[in-house]
Amino acid sequence: MKKKVILGILFFLPVMFLLIMLSSKHYYTPLDVVKTDIQELGDFKPATDTMQVVLKGHISLVMLFDEDPIQHVTEISNVNEKAYKWAKGYKGFQLIFVVPEEYKESEPIIREKIGEYVDLKYWTFVFGSNDDIHKYYQNLKQGFDNDTTFGLNTHFYIIDKELGLRGRKDDEKGMPLYGYDATNISELHKKVVSDLRILFQEYRDKRSGKFNSDQRRLKELSDEE
């Protein structure tokens, strides 16, 4: 009899735990919307005319270069390893590299270096003039001119489906985190996947009608106080 009771507990306890977990509500703090109305990449063209690159309706990682991206293969590889590999299975996700048009020939070289062990289906390179790249970058960081979390060639940015720049208004030691430093493996490992996971969860909750938009507003009011 004692043996049956023990076996019964061992069987039903995990089942009860699973049912409790499934029925419980999960609360989290949504990833901050740092800036709205981020511009589309209309001034930049992909390598082939048949492609169309659109930010709206996608969750995008965007990385901007004003020099040959070949010089930054290490940073690109870090983004691939610490963000793209984890996020590429999510519908609507894309990784976009904005590159000066004189370096179009670098795209296949980079793809060959990194694509041997991972499907780069959701990688896109777009090309434009250095002037247009700097103009886009200045618009992206407008209002945050002295903020060190923005950077060309080394940083990438999370843009949500509504063209909002996402990040952390209050990261470690009260500092913000809007652009993620691709040279900082520790930051990528600890924060990028976590932030993307929260953002994907937000959109899942929105689709199912479970997202509580008041939660962010309450946090913002608390921050203002």
Side-chain angles (χ1 to χ4, degrees):
M1 184 67 182
K2 185 177 179 181
K3 193 174 184 180
K4 289 181 179 179
V5 170
I6 293 172
L7 289 172
I9 292 172
L10 291 174
F11 176 78
F12 285 109
L13 200 59
V15 174
M16 289 176 63
F17 178 76
L18 181 60
L19 290 173
I20 291 170
M21 291 293 292
L22 289 173
S23 62
S24 65
K25 293 182 178 179
H26 297 279
Y27 295 101
Y28 57 91
T29 301
L31 193 60
D32 292 324
V33 179
V34 177
K35 186 175 182 179
T36 58
D37 299 323
I38 298 300
Q39 291 181 347
E40 286 282 2
L41 295 165
D43 292 330
F44 306 99
K45 304 299 179 187
T48 60
D49 294 335
T50 57
M51 293 180 64
Q52 185 179 16
V53 180
V54 179
L55 296 178
K56 190 172 179 62
H58 296 82
I59 294 175
S60 308
L61 300 186
V62 178
M63 192 168 185
L64 302 153
F65 298 89
D66 65 353
E67 57 190 24
D68 192 343
I70 286 287
Q71 299 179 45
H72 300 280
V73 168
T74 299
E75 289 92 325
I76 293 171
S77 178
N78 290 342
V79 176
N80 178 65
E81 290 293 325
K82 299 300 181 181
Y84 175 80
K85 279 187 175 181
W86 180 85
K88 66 184 177 68
Y90 286 82
K91 186 177 179 181
F93 172 78
Q94 58 184 353
L95 173 58
I96 300 172
F97 300 102
V98 183
V99 176
E101 53 197 357
E102 61 262 38
Y103 300 118
K104 279 186 178 181
E105 295 178 358
S106 294
E107 177 183 356
I109 298 171
I110 293 171
R111 285 184 177 275
E112 185 178 357
K113 283 179 177 290
I114 296 177
E116 186 175 358
Y117 302 106
V118 62
D119 180 7
L120 304 183
K121 179 180 179 181
Y122 304 106
W123 275 38
T124 303
F125 283 74
V126 295
F127 304 93
S129 70
N130 248 312
D131 285 345
D132 284 338
I133 290 171
H134 278 270
K135 186 165 73 172
Y136 189 91
Y137 173 65
Q138 291 301 324
N139 180 268
L140 181 70
K141 68 192 286 284
Q142 187 176 7
F144 309 95
D145 289 339
N146 297 320
D147 200 307
T148 57
T149 71
F150 288 90
L152 285 164
N153 305 309
T154 57
H155 288 65
F156 63 96
Y157 309 91
I158 299 176
I159 312 296
D160 69 20
K161 294 183 179 184
E162 290 78 36
L163 301 180
L165 175 66
R166 295 296 189 105
R168 304 182 182 198
K169 292 181 179 178
D170 186 7
D171 191 33
E172 294 178 3
K173 300 179 181 178
M175 298 297 291
L177 178 64
Y178 309 147
Y180 297 79
D181 186 353
T183 67
N184 189 333
I185 295 294
S186 175
E187 178 178 294
L188 296 180
H189 183 72
K190 290 190 299 183
K191 298 175 183 178
V192 174
V193 169
S194 174
D195 289 355
L196 286 171
R197 182 182 286 115
I198 288 171
L199 185 56
F200 286 127
Q201 184 62 48
E202 176 183 323
Y203 280 104
R204 279 194 293 263
D205 289 348
K206 284 179 177 177
R207 286 196 300 271
S208 62
K210 295 179 181 179
F211 181 68
N212 182 6
S213 60
D214 291 335
Q215 191 168 348
R216 178 183 287 121
R217 180 60 185 152
L218 287 171
K219 181 178 183 297
E220 288 173 350
L221 288 172
S222 175
D223 290 343
E224 289 169 8
E225 293 172 359

